[in-house]
Amino acid sequence: MALPLLNTADVSLMNLNGKPQVMVVDDDVTMCNFLRSFLSDRGYSAITVGSAEEAVKRYHAERPAAVILDVVIPGTMDGLEALAALKKIDREVPIIVVSGQGRTTTVVQAMKLGASDFVSKPFDATDLEVPLANALKQRQLSREVATLREQLQSQEQHNLLFGNSEKMAEVRDLIERVADTDVTVLIRGESGTGKELVARALYASSLRRDKPFVKVNCAALPTELLESELFGFERGAFTGAIQQKPGKFEFANHGTMFLDEIGDMSFPLQAKLLQVLQDGEFSRLGGKHDMRVDVRVIAATNRDVEQAVAEGQFREDLFFRLNVVSINLPPLRERREEIPILTEYFLKKYSVQYNKPHTDVSADTMRLFMDHDWPGNVRELENLIKRAVVLGSEAPIRKEIQHGIAMAAHRIQYPAAGASGNGHQAAGSHHTVPARANVSQASGAAPAPAARPTPAEIAIAATEAGNYSLKDISREAARQAERELILKMLQQTRWNRKETAEILGISYKALLYKIKENGLDKAS
């Protein structure tokens, strides 16, 4: 099963009418009007800007298929500097440089910076038409080659993901049964289990496989930015909204939208998503009219959504809309038979990628792999193998795995952070058994939360497991202290993540990562 890929960068090469977008950078209004008409007559959509600074700024949002750039532009940045800046953003974009100064040095410098062609002013239609068509054709060919490579790689990943264990074979069967329908699918599983690969497998087998596949990570952006990213905005909707911008749902029209980490979407934004799922309608930020789209939604989460619903953090009606079909991915520790196959795959992959000799892992290291619980699942295994290939040694990863096994054994004695006093666990946390009995438990009272291990207890557990590394023990103690501080600040701000990030002096995205990494939730 081939997995065709189309990301949002591919989609934004065209406008919503399917016309390739070409950015014109020239301070001459007459030239801009001429080129706009020239491009429109040939089936292109023109974006005209009058300065190099504005071109660089708008390129991030527009991502045109090609750029026509004048060398001589007033401002702090000239045309050649703009050429270098645009190539830094996207080295594949074709840029045709035009200038009334046809000096050899300028031409040579432009070509060295990556210009596709150089056209001297004045010029007629054919002088520009042929270079533009050739540049766009070359880019299309490059993208087709890249897409074929991605498809081959995705096919290999697909076979690897679904072909080596009974549990994953069940997942594959479920995918095949629902892929060619338009039902909403909720993919559930711990971080690193391959939820995006499952989403792409669903897309590749669907009737929409020739339409866009657009991915949005709901945990990567604050609520305000996520809303504008999903639904777009009108000019003047907020400070800095200098022009209209379509949202990802519009780009995904007639295609598939993959909403990763849906469990982290804010409560107010969930209502707007529910409207899209129910009616296929939404309004842009600042918009006066509803937009209508036809999009299949696939969502993924590593959270316990039922618990989030019970705690009032997730809308029950949205959960029912998303959970039409649920696909549960088992963690790597429940399909250990795949570890040797995955290890060999990643060894081959990164040996080729980094031009390093391919060597198999030793029997002792493989035994450690089979004993490890893999809290980071396939992603953790992949990163360890990548490190071993780059460093040319198993020693660092053996040490890390031994440390992980020791800490896992220690957590069996002292319950994991994700377990709450009422016995519930955060999604993805390990089953643990408390070792410290409490008098109130013996008398039938509600169990008290287990005490966190002290630095001394961490050191004892590590040395008992044969790990005498001061660095490893210090890192674990620091992690526990960091967790306690984050939890305290979250409780202090009533789980206002944005305010907590500001207090701790870290980014919003970094805080979300640390909350997940430490298995924190309100029950903690």
Side-chain angles (χ1 to χ4, degrees), residues 96 102 120 139 149 155 172 181 190 212 322 324 370:
I96 298 172
S120 296
R139 186 175 204 197
R149 285 175 179 163
Q155 176 65 49
R172 182 194 59 215
T181 69
E190 296 179 12
L322 292 170
V324 177
M370 299 302 286

Side-chain angles (χ1 to χ4, degrees), residues 82-95:
L83 171 60
L86 292 173
K87 281 293 182 178
K88 192 171 182 180
I89 298 170
D90 181 1
R91 62 186 180 86
E92 300 295 333
V93 63
I95 301 177

Side-chain angles (χ1 to χ4, degrees), residues 57-109:
K57 184 177 180 181
R58 288 189 61 178
Y59 188 89
H60 284 282
E62 303 288 352
R63 292 286 176 166
V67 178
I68 300 173
L69 174 67
D70 190 6
V71 172
V72 182
I73 310 175
T76 56
M77 181 186 290
D78 65 21
L80 291 177
E81 290 172 327
L83 171 60
L86 292 173
K87 281 293 182 178
K88 192 171 182 180
I89 298 170
D90 181 1
R91 62 186 180 86
E92 300 295 333
V93 63
I95 301 177
I96 298 172
V97 174
V98 296
S99 176
Q101 301 177 0
R103 292 186 301 225
T104 305
T105 53
T106 305
V107 176
V108 171
Q109 193 173 357

